[in-house]
Amino acid sequence: MGDEFIAESLDSPLAKHFLTILSEGKKYQEASERCEDNQQGGCVEMKLLPTIVAGLAVVIGIVWILQGAGLLGGSFMTGRTEWFWIGIVTALAGCVAFLWLRRPGR
């Protein structure tokens, strides 16, 4: 009776779905291990979007610094000291994020 129950349970849609999830997790883990083994090439890591966001933060921060310092006109931010400091914080945050993304072993 026990073996029949196990055999019937494995044929159920829920059991098949569970086994599919387990096999996909194993495939992901194997791919991740291959990426860790092959740090020099061949593996594409999903860092592109965060790197773009960090780069944009640096660029926007620099624009705000220039506007706050009065060196770049054409905005309500021109010549306002608070935008100078906001720009510094934004640019530094972008630099820190970029460096954090580039650290080895990530």
Side-chain angles (χ1 to χ4, degrees):
M1 170 110 172
D3 292 337
E4 293 172 8
F5 177 74
I6 292 173
E8 289 175 15
S9 297
L10 291 177
D11 286 335
S12 72
L14 182 60
K16 289 179 182 178
H17 179 68
F18 183 70
L19 291 173
T20 302
I21 290 172
L22 287 177
S23 67
E24 288 175 0
K26 184 171 172 66
K27 288 177 191 173
Y28 175 78
Q29 183 180 5
E30 290 170 355
S32 176
E33 289 169 359
R34 282 194 306 270
C35 285
E36 290 173 5
D37 291 340
N38 189 9
Q39 289 291 328
Q40 297 301 319
C43 243
V44 177
E45 296 182 29
M46 297 301 290
K47 292 185 184 179
L48 182 61
L49 183 61
T51 302
I52 290 171
V53 171
L56 283 174
V58 171
V59 170
I60 290 170
I62 290 171
V63 169
W64 288 348
I65 290 169
L66 294 174
Q67 287 180 331
L71 300 173
L72 185 63
S75 171
F76 68 93
M77 295 181 266
T78 302
R80 309 241 348 225
T81 309
E82 64 266 17
W83 285 103
F84 175 78
W85 293 109
I86 292 170
I88 288 176
V89 170
T90 305
L92 285 176
C95 288
V96 167
F98 184 76
L99 292 173
W100 182 73
L101 289 167
R102 300 289 298 165
R103 73 178 198 256
R106 230 188 85 72

